[in-house]
Structure formats: C-alpha cells, structure tokens
Amino acid sequence: MRIVLVGPPGAGKGTQAAYLAKNLAIPHISTGDLFRANISQGTPLGQKAQEYMRAGQLVPDEVTIGMAKDRMQQPDAAHGFLLDGFPRNLAQAEALDGILKADDLKLDAVLDLEVPEDEVVKRIAGRRMCRKDSSHIFHAIYNPPKTEGVCDTCGGELYQREDDSEETVRKRLEVYHSETEPIIDYYKAQGLVVTISALGKVVEVTQRAMAALGRD
Ligand code: AMP
C-alpha cells in the first residue's frame, strides 16, 4: 500500500505512522524525521533545513522533494510506504504524483487525522521524543513514560522538540491551514481521502485507521 498521512501538527501522525507501518509491513517515511537526522549529523541539507524548522516554516520544495524522492526509491519502499509529513503543499503533492506516475504507480489512500485545535496545543506542549528512535513518542500527561525522561522502549533520552514551543506551534498551525490543508481537497478530487478522528487512546486511533483503510 502507498499511503499519505495528513493532519495538523500534534494530530499524532508520527505515533500512528509507527504502528500503522508495522501493521501494514511498509516503511514509515517521515520528512520531519529525515530533516532531524540530517540536523543531528550536521549535513549541509540539515543546516539548510534547520532555520526553516526553527521558524515553523516549510523547508523549500527543491530540498524537500529531492530528499523524499530519494527515500521513496530505496529498496525497502519498492512495495509500499507510509508518508508522514509529505506532501505538505500542492507543489509537493503534484511532484509526488509525477514521481509515482513515472513508475506507473499511484497512491492507495490519504488518511486524514482530525483533531480540534485546542487539543493540538495540549498535545504538543507535553510531547516528548526519544533521541535514539524518533518513532518512540510520549506525552508528559496522556502517555507518560514509566521513568520521567527515559524512553520505555529503548532507554533513550526523551526531549522536547525545539519547534514545539508555543510560538512556533502557532506558526506551524498557520502554515498547516494555508499550505497543507488544500492538499486534502486535491486528494478528495481523486477519491483518495479517508478521514478519521484522532481523539482517544493511541490504540483506538490505530484500530480506527486500520478499519478506514479496510485492513481491520
Ligand atoms: P514534522 O516532524 O512532520 O512535524 O516536521 C517538522 C518540520 O520539518 C516542519 O515544521 C517543517 O519545517 C519541516 N518539514 C517536514 N516535512 C516537510 C515538508 N514535506 N515540506 C517542508 N517542510 C517540511
């Protein structure tokens, strides 16, 4: 399956993507994670991305599309993938169509995670991520680790993302509404969108998502 996950920051895309990718046996491709890996390795791409991420803005398309394309063309993605955080605007959605079309492929579904804005703010304020594995995501109140600051799964250090500050989150939400939301209509026109509520326990949302994808 080739799936795109959309939803505002804090909808739980990363958390759900990790479970869904495992259940569906496809790689989880997160452009945010790829940028963060480049930043921690100090690559030129990471240096370029960092200023935009700090400001809560989108990294320019020419950087993002090439990086996403490279990742999608890795052997593990030959039979499907779950895209998390890409595409994030219409130009990227059109580029993705072109990349897939060149190989005679198409998307199977666009899973839209819906969550009210006040919930988003609460979720992001408490979000904690593992330094060793970015798919290990906790929340100080809703999904606390057994030991504060330590990942239950691998023992890695938990930290708060630099762009999870209140001011940057507000900017990211603005960018989501103006640039990313239009891709939902773009995909609706292709009959690809399935919308589910992202409220409730992590496992309930995963079950809802699997059912919406016809895989329960
Ligand atoms: P995420 O981890 O998906 O919340 O992404 C964190 C940040 O990385 C975003 O706020 C953007 O600055 C950048 N980013 C991630 N994916 C994209 C994308 N597809 N296009 C542009 N910027 C992106």
Side-chain angles (χ1 to χ4, degrees), residues 31 45 77 86 130 138-139 171 213:
T31 40
L45 190 151
F86 181 87
C130 175
F138 297 84
H139 188 282
K171 179 69 197 164
L213 295 170

PDB file of all heavy atoms in Angstrom, residues 31 45 77 86 130 138-139 171 213:
ATOM      1  N   THR A  31       9.361  13.024   6.550  1.00  0.00           N
ATOM      2  CA  THR A  31      10.329  14.041   6.115  1.00  0.00           C
ATOM      3  C   THR A  31      10.849  14.832   7.322  1.00  0.00           C
ATOM      4  O   THR A  31      12.018  15.211   7.349  1.00  0.00           O
ATOM      5  CB  THR A  31       9.710  14.987   5.057  1.00  0.00           C
ATOM      6  OG1 THR A  31       8.361  15.290   5.424  1.00  0.00           O
ATOM      7  CG2 THR A  31       9.734  14.358   3.686  1.00  0.00           C
ATOM      8  N   LEU A  45      22.361  19.613   4.084  1.00  0.00           N
ATOM      9  CA  LEU A  45      20.894  19.625   3.974  1.00  0.00           C
ATOM     10  C   LEU A  45      20.267  19.968   5.330  1.00  0.00           C
ATOM     11  O   LEU A  45      19.338  20.761   5.423  1.00  0.00           O
ATOM     12  CB  LEU A  45      20.414  18.249   3.487  1.00  0.00           C
ATOM     13  CG  LEU A  45      18.950  18.118   3.076  1.00  0.00           C
ATOM     14  CD1 LEU A  45      18.797  17.030   2.014  1.00  0.00           C
ATOM     15  CD2 LEU A  45      18.041  17.801   4.237  1.00  0.00           C
ATOM     16  N   ALA A  77      11.186   0.449   0.069  1.00  0.00           N
ATOM     17  CA  ALA A  77       9.931   1.132  -0.244  1.00  0.00           C
ATOM     18  C   ALA A  77       9.347   0.685  -1.591  1.00  0.00           C
ATOM     19  O   ALA A  77       8.368   1.254  -2.065  1.00  0.00           O
ATOM     20  CB  ALA A  77      10.144   2.641  -0.244  1.00  0.00           C
ATOM     21  N   PHE A  86       4.708  14.460   4.376  1.00  0.00           N
ATOM     22  CA  PHE A  86       4.961  14.750   2.965  1.00  0.00           C
ATOM     23  C   PHE A  86       3.854  14.119   2.152  1.00  0.00           C
ATOM     24  O   PHE A  86       3.536  12.956   2.400  1.00  0.00           O
ATOM     25  CB  PHE A  86       6.313  14.190   2.519  1.00  0.00           C
ATOM     26  CG  PHE A  86       6.633  14.477   1.059  1.00  0.00           C
ATOM     27  CD1 PHE A  86       7.252  15.667   0.706  1.00  0.00           C
ATOM     28  CD2 PHE A  86       6.283  13.570   0.067  1.00  0.00           C
ATOM     29  CE1 PHE A  86       7.522  15.947  -0.637  1.00  0.00           C
ATOM     30  CE2 PHE A  86       6.545  13.846  -1.273  1.00  0.00           C
ATOM     31  CZ  PHE A  86       7.176  15.025  -1.619  1.00  0.00           C
ATOM     32  N   CYS A 130      12.016  10.468  21.722  1.00  0.00           N
ATOM     33  CA  CYS A 130      13.235   9.730  22.070  1.00  0.00           C
ATOM     34  C   CYS A 130      14.381  10.146  21.139  1.00  0.00           C
ATOM     35  O   CYS A 130      14.191  10.220  19.924  1.00  0.00           O
ATOM     36  CB  CYS A 130      12.951   8.235  21.924  1.00  0.00           C
ATOM     37  SG  CYS A 130      14.390   7.209  22.190  1.00  0.00           S
ATOM     38  N   PHE A 138       6.211  10.070  23.404  1.00  0.00           N
ATOM     39  CA  PHE A 138       5.447  10.031  24.660  1.00  0.00           C
ATOM     40  C   PHE A 138       4.783  11.377  24.895  1.00  0.00           C
ATOM     41  O   PHE A 138       5.015  12.336  24.163  1.00  0.00           O
ATOM     42  CB  PHE A 138       6.388   9.690  25.832  1.00  0.00           C
ATOM     43  CG  PHE A 138       7.012   8.329  25.699  1.00  0.00           C
ATOM     44  CD1 PHE A 138       8.158   8.143  24.925  1.00  0.00           C
ATOM     45  CD2 PHE A 138       6.448   7.226  26.318  1.00  0.00           C
ATOM     46  CE1 PHE A 138       8.718   6.885  24.767  1.00  0.00           C
ATOM     47  CE2 PHE A 138       6.998   5.961  26.173  1.00  0.00           C
ATOM     48  CZ  PHE A 138       8.146   5.795  25.399  1.00  0.00           C
ATOM     49  N   HIS A 139       3.949  11.407  25.944  1.00  0.00           N
ATOM     50  CA  HIS A 139       3.345  12.676  26.342  1.00  0.00           C
ATOM     51  C   HIS A 139       3.401  12.752  27.863  1.00  0.00           C
ATOM     52  O   HIS A 139       3.062  11.767  28.547  1.00  0.00           O
ATOM     53  CB  HIS A 139       1.896  12.757  25.858  1.00  0.00           C
ATOM     54  CG  HIS A 139       1.287  14.118  26.062  1.00  0.00           C
ATOM     55  ND1 HIS A 139       0.828  14.543  27.290  1.00  0.00           N
ATOM     56  CD2 HIS A 139       1.094  15.140  25.208  1.00  0.00           C
ATOM     57  CE1 HIS A 139       0.367  15.771  27.174  1.00  0.00           C
ATOM     58  NE2 HIS A 139       0.521  16.163  25.911  1.00  0.00           N
ATOM     59  N   LYS A 171       2.751  29.167  14.615  1.00  0.00           N
ATOM     60  CA  LYS A 171       3.173  29.383  13.223  1.00  0.00           C
ATOM     61  C   LYS A 171       2.944  28.112  12.397  1.00  0.00           C
ATOM     62  O   LYS A 171       2.455  28.164  11.265  1.00  0.00           O
ATOM     63  CB  LYS A 171       4.668  29.772  13.218  1.00  0.00           C
ATOM     64  CG  LYS A 171       5.258  30.000  11.868  1.00  0.00           C
ATOM     65  CD  LYS A 171       4.700  31.268  11.223  1.00  0.00           C
ATOM     66  CE  LYS A 171       4.965  31.259   9.734  1.00  0.00           C
ATOM     67  NZ  LYS A 171       4.144  32.232   9.032  1.00  0.00           N
ATOM     68  N   LEU A 213      -8.818   1.947   6.427  1.00  0.00           N
ATOM     69  CA  LEU A 213      -8.001   1.506   5.279  1.00  0.00           C
ATOM     70  C   LEU A 213      -8.446   0.130   4.784  1.00  0.00           C
ATOM     71  O   LEU A 213      -7.832  -0.446   3.892  1.00  0.00           O
ATOM     72  CB  LEU A 213      -6.517   1.451   5.683  1.00  0.00           C
ATOM     73  CG  LEU A 213      -5.864   2.800   6.031  1.00  0.00           C
ATOM     74  CD1 LEU A 213      -4.486   2.586   6.643  1.00  0.00           C
ATOM     75  CD2 LEU A 213      -5.753   3.673   4.779  1.00  0.00           C
TER      76      LEU A 213
END
